[in-house]
Amino acid sequence: AGTNTVKAELRDFNLSPVWKLLRPPFDLASRATGSFTLSWNGAFDPLKISGSARLNLVATRQAPDASVLPVSGKLDAQLHPGRTLVNLESVSTLGSRLNGQFSLRSFREIEGDFRGNAPDVDALITQLSRFLGGSDNPTGAIKLKGPLQFNAHASGKLKGPTVSITSDVLELQAGVLKHLSARAEGKIEGSQITFQGTITLPESATVHAQGGLDISGRAPVLDLDAHGHGIPAIAVVKMFDSTLPVSGNLNAQLHLGGTPDALSGYASIAGDDLSLYREPLGRLDIDLRLADKEIQSKQCTLLNDPLNPASGRIDAQFTYALDSDRFQFQAGGKDLQLKRLALPN
């Protein structure tokens, strides 16, 4: 048998049927315009093809669906028997733009590196959740804002590669909290996502977090732990865009678990040597619980003198509904004296 050669020009060609011949783990929602050349000896065998392709991809839908990935951008491929090398340029998908290179061995194994950015981290997370079969509101009531940069490495079986990711959000806003930045490392293995990272607050304070996300079910299940020690109280004030003059240090820890629409967990905050407008306030202890989309205080106590807890104290209770922003607060005090409090005019 001789050598067979095919040269062709494509215009608005639907890639989905051809992509499915590779039995990939997701469908490709793109049309292609460009050219390709293929050659092989004897009977047609995808593993024995040589050739090249230069294609411009245009997504056939704006948003992804479960295991359906819309992709736009430029693709340059070199095919060798048993191995395909692909270069991606200005590819748009899942609310991000990326560049990268990857190789396919026998159309069964992948090895590649990618780098990219997303102007809106919340849009990226939402579209990724849709693609993985999750909800359209994966972060629940906590809306994230900020541009994200990332690097990723993929390796393993094409149907279920392991993906390692490092990401940075230099100007992060989480709900009403501002002036944050975050750096995280994560790994995707099958339906399990593990991650660890650091959130930087004003005053260079840091909070460390680690956890996992199980995406095997109808909704992703989160397991998150976070803690911070020696956080300046002024850093917390600045997160709310306030200039309130406070001092002292805080320790905090947090645990969250469950699906985005049914998160539950707890948090504790302890503050020492706190002062406001140079008035010593003492020690603060707060214990919070999250359930049914509501944050409720189990303890909120300010002790002016921790060695004399029977007097000079304030006890408070509050609830905050995440879905309606409804806030309720009540407090009572005993023998609390503010001697040096100097409020501004």
Side-chain angles (χ1 to χ4, degrees):
T3 300
N4 303 283
T5 302
V6 174
K7 295 183 178 181
E9 297 286 334
L10 299 179
R11 179 174 294 179
D12 201 29
F13 180 77
N14 186 6
L15 289 176
S16 180
V18 177
W19 177 254
K20 289 179 179 179
L21 294 176
L22 303 177
R23 297 180 180 178
F26 61 89
D27 191 14
L28 185 64
S30 298
R31 304 184 78 89
T33 298
S35 62
F36 69 88
T37 300
L38 302 177
S39 63
W40 67 94
N41 294 320
F44 180 80
D45 185 344
L47 299 182
K48 297 181 180 179
I49 293 176
S50 298
S52 63
R54 297 180 64 86
L55 304 175
N56 288 320
L57 307 184
V58 177
T60 59
R61 55 185 297 158
Q62 290 186 343
D65 204 348
S67 298
V68 179
L69 184 67
V71 177
S72 298
K74 296 181 180 180
L75 180 151
D76 187 351
Q78 301 294 323
L79 287 76
H80 306 280
R83 189 181 185 194
T84 301
L85 303 176
V86 181
N87 184 71
L88 302 176
E89 182 180 347
S90 299
V91 170
S92 298
T93 185
L94 298 178
S96 68
R97 183 176 293 270
L98 61 89
N99 298 278
Q101 303 82 32
F102 67 90
S103 65
L104 299 174
R105 292 186 180 274
S106 302
F107 296 105
R108 294 187 180 93
E109 296 182 355
I110 186 173
E111 184 86 23
D113 291 285
F114 311 89
R115 60 195 177 280
N117 62 82
D120 183 355
V121 63
D122 192 74
L124 171 63
I125 294 174
T126 297
Q127 293 201 31
L128 180 61
S129 176
R130 290 176 182 171
F131 176 66
L132 296 174
S135 70
D136 289 344
N137 188 26
T139 58
I142 302 175
K143 296 301 181 183
L144 303 177
K145 295 182 181 180
L148 176 140
Q149 298 177 341
F150 64 89
N151 290 277
H153 177 78
S155 62
K157 300 294 183 181
L158 182 60
K159 290 186 176 182
T162 296
V163 182
S164 300
I165 303 172
T166 60
S167 62
D168 291 277
V169 185
L170 299 181
E171 298 177 4
L172 175 64
Q173 180 176 340
V176 298
L177 304 180
K178 301 179 180 180
H179 310 300
L180 311 174
S181 64
R183 180 175 179 81
E185 298 179 355
K187 180 175 287 188
I188 303 174
E189 295 180 290
S191 61
Q192 303 297 317
I193 302 175
T194 56
F195 56 86
Q196 60 182 8
T198 301
I199 301 172
T200 301
L201 318 181
E203 302 293 315
S204 299
T206 56
V207 173
H208 302 280
Q210 63 180 16
L213 195 65
D214 184 346
I215 57 176
S216 61
R218 296 185 62 182
V221 179
L222 175 69
D223 182 25
L224 170 67
D225 289 287
H227 65 273
H229 298 286
I231 301 172
I234 190 64
V236 178
V237 170
K238 288 183 176 181
M239 286 193 295
F240 289 94
D241 241 357
S242 173
T243 58
L244 198 66
V246 299
S247 63
N249 292 300
L250 303 170
N251 297 323
Q253 61 179 7
L254 165 77
H255 174 78
L256 289 177
T259 62
D261 291 331
L263 284 175
S264 62
Y266 62 86
S268 64
I269 302 170
D272 290 308
D273 300 323
L274 299 178
S275 68
L276 173 65
Y277 290 106
R278 299 183 180 180
E279 173 70 37
L281 298 179
R283 178 178 175 84
L284 176 68
D285 288 288
I286 300 176
D287 287 323
L288 306 175
R289 292 295 182 270
L290 169 63
D292 300 324
K293 298 183 180 181
E294 184 178 82
I295 299 174
Q296 184 178 51
S297 65
K298 295 299 181 181
Q299 178 187 10
C300 184
T301 303
L302 178 67
L303 297 177
N304 190 245
D305 182 2
L307 299 180
N308 184 21
S311 63
R313 62 185 293 153
I314 294 178
D315 294 286
Q317 292 181 330
F318 63 86
T319 59
Y320 175 64
L322 294 174
D323 53 356
S324 65
D325 285 334
R326 183 184 181 189
F327 182 76
Q328 292 181 303
F329 178 85
Q330 63 180 14
K334 181 179 180 181
D335 299 331
L336 182 66
Q337 298 181 9
L338 302 178
K339 300 178 180 178
R340 290 185 290 173
L341 184 64
L343 298 178
N345 295 327

